[in-house]
Amino acid sequence: MQIGGKTKVCGLIGNPVEHTLSPLIHNHLAKAMGEDLVYVPFLVENQNVEAAVKGAYALSITGLNVTVPHKSAVIPYLKELDPLAEKIGAVNTLVRTEGGYKGYNTDMSGLLRAMKSEGIQIEGKETLLLGAGGASRAVAFMLGTEGAKKVYLLNRTIDRALAVAKEVNEAVGREVIIPMSLSEYKSLPGQKYLCIQGTSVGLYPDCDKAVIEEPDFYEMVDVAVDLIYKPADTRFMTLCREAGAKAYNGLKMLLYQGVIAYELWNRVQVDESLCQEIYGKMKEAVKV
Ligand code: NAP
């Protein structure tokens, strides 16, 4: 591309940022859509979050993605917060507005778009959610907001599950999240559930692990999404498939969180065919 005086700059702030796929998503989108835009990762240390957000605004940067560990730390330095991001308490996209950035959470709208694209229904579903960390907390909000009937939130540290359940149930106004320890799945009614794997167990390079190993757990699953996308087929996904369930990884969530951010920055709608083209490139890039 030809960088000139009118080239818009977008980027990612986080720590680390070396292995990010976001430049692949955004630079490909810009090229395909004829947008004069370049996307760059910026390594930002914890103590520099305020300076990074204010400095980016001063440099007329159009938009930023935010990744770990800064998704909550950026919030005090924003001019405005989208209501969903405010509820979740985490922001992954900053959109330039008059006087400062507005924060959004496109991780959750990205997961929702990814699930819809696979034909996975949430409304009225009984759901198992493994994990109560940053990502699972946001998934719990999304499932509650999208009308899941019940969400059994299973986590190694029960106190963390209790805290997420309390917060989400208050925010969505119903007792939708039921906190449990990992082994308590044995007490659940024997039926088929939608299952979201939101722990970091099984993430590359620890690919031979799953947060629950017992085969009887997987008998309860009919469709599953692992938020992990590296490796492309996690042990959790393999155990689901061995028990006859459908299982998807988190790569489409990553794709769509980026696509939605791009749409917010450029006020455009990205074609599904272009999304699929980029998805193909991402699959190549994460092969291990
Ligand atoms: P996090 O805040 O560090 O939470 C980690 C979670 O994993 C906690 O629930 C933790 O349980 C659990 N855990 C870790 N080690 C465990 C073990 N040995 N046994 C049982 N549980 C264990 O991480 P996060 O930010 O939520 O991210 C979680 C995963 O989601 C990561 O793999 C990340 O790559 C993925 N993710 C994907 C996308 C995407 O776009 N596809 C976006 C965001 C995140 P305790 O509470 O007991 O410690």
Side-chain angles (χ1 to χ4, degrees), residues 131-135 155-157 160 198-201 211 227-229 250 253:
N155 197 47
R156 177 181 59 180
T157 310
R160 236 173 150 189
T199 77
S200 46
V201 182
V211 64
L227 300 193
I228 293 175
Y229 52 80
M253 171 183 175

Side-chain angles (χ1 to χ4, degrees), residues 191-213:
Q191 60 173 72
K192 294 284 190 183
Y193 296 83
L194 164 66
C195 181
I196 314 280
Q197 199 304 107
T199 77
S200 46
V201 182
L203 187 62
Y204 178 84
D206 284 326
C207 308
D208 59 343
K209 297 194 176 83
V211 64
I212 297 178
E213 290 284 348

Side-chain angles (χ1 to χ4, degrees), residues 53-54 97 103 106 116 140 160 175 177 180 186 197 208 219 221 255 261 270 279:
V53 174
K54 290 185 176 165
T97 63
T106 75
K116 281 187 177 158
R160 236 173 150 189
E175 291 297 305
I177 313 290
M180 306 178 117
K186 293 186 169 81
Q197 199 304 107
D208 59 343
E219 297 294 335
V221 178
L255 164 72
V270 177
Y279 185 54

